[in-house]
Amino acid sequence: MGLEKEKSDTSIIMDEDEFNRSIEPILSKKGKEYTAAPDRDPHDINAHLKVGFEDVIAEPISTHSFDSVWIGSHAAFELVKFIFYRLLTTLLAVPLAFVLGLVFGVLSCIHIWLVMPVIQSCLMLLPSIQVVWRSLTDMFIMPLFHSIGKSLSSIQVKTTEN
């Protein structure tokens, strides 16, 4: 016999076309067009970094803190994450982009002007090396194994039971 609190959720169900039609006059009055931000990770390379507050801090049903503490810690987490990301990218993005551009430029140069010519040279030399190797094998190794095979083929093994 206590006070019961009843939660009531209010929601408006509106399909996307109706929503766009209802908002068009508002947007056209301002004269500004809003476009979606470009996707800076189109190949989803950093999908593992999409971490939210609930992914890091979770309270089981049996232990809950006060709602104000939960909301405050959520706000502090998001704010600190946002500020430090912006601060670190402001300080480090341009120098790291310079260093990474230098590294990838050097790697590309080494690959184009050193690695691929060596590989192509090896591929060009392989047919002649293959001919020499085949003739050495035919002259020395094949007769040896052929004679070993003939001598071992004359061995007969018989099994008897006691």
Side-chain angles (χ1 to χ4, degrees):
M1 291 266 233
L3 294 173
E4 282 103 21
K5 293 184 180 178
E6 183 177 307
K7 277 190 171 181
S8 64
D9 292 331
T10 306
S11 63
I12 299 173
I13 300 172
M14 186 182 299
D15 64 346
E16 194 172 334
D17 292 334
E18 187 176 341
F19 176 74
N20 289 338
R21 275 185 302 209
S22 66
I23 200 165
E24 282 175 6
I26 297 170
L27 291 177
S28 63
K29 288 178 186 175
K30 292 183 179 180
K32 295 182 181 179
E33 288 187 24
Y34 296 100
T35 58
D39 187 10
R40 294 184 182 179
D41 190 10
H43 301 294
D44 214 18
I45 294 171
N46 294 315
H48 60 284
L49 293 179
K50 294 177 183 172
V51 177
F53 180 72
E54 293 83 11
D55 298 327
V56 177
I57 299 171
E59 290 181 335
I61 294 174
S62 61
T63 55
H64 275 208
S65 61
F66 295 113
D67 286 341
S68 58
V69 172
W70 181 257
I71 293 169
S73 60
H74 186 225
F77 175 84
E78 294 295 335
L79 181 67
V80 169
K81 183 177 88 167
F82 175 77
I83 289 174
F84 269 91
Y85 178 76
R86 290 287 173 104
L87 178 70
L88 289 174
T89 54
T90 302
L91 296 175
L92 299 176
V94 174
L96 283 177
F98 179 79
V99 169
L100 291 174
L102 186 68
V103 166
F104 283 111
V106 167
L107 288 176
S108 298
C109 181
I110 288 172
H111 183 76
I112 291 168
W113 293 102
L114 184 67
V115 174
M116 287 310 294
V118 168
I119 290 174
Q120 290 298 327
S121 300
C122 289
L123 291 175
M124 285 173 38
L125 290 175
L126 281 179
S128 57
I129 293 172
Q130 183 180 9
V131 169
V132 171
W133 181 257
R134 183 171 287 142
S135 64
L136 288 174
T137 306
D138 290 343
M139 285 174 36
F140 297 108
I141 297 175
M142 196 166 86
L144 174 68
F145 281 100
H146 189 68
S147 63
I148 291 173
K150 278 192 173 191
S151 62
L152 292 178
S153 67
S154 63
I155 299 175
Q156 294 180 350
V157 178
K158 292 183 181 180
T159 57
T160 59
E161 290 184 28
N162 292 336

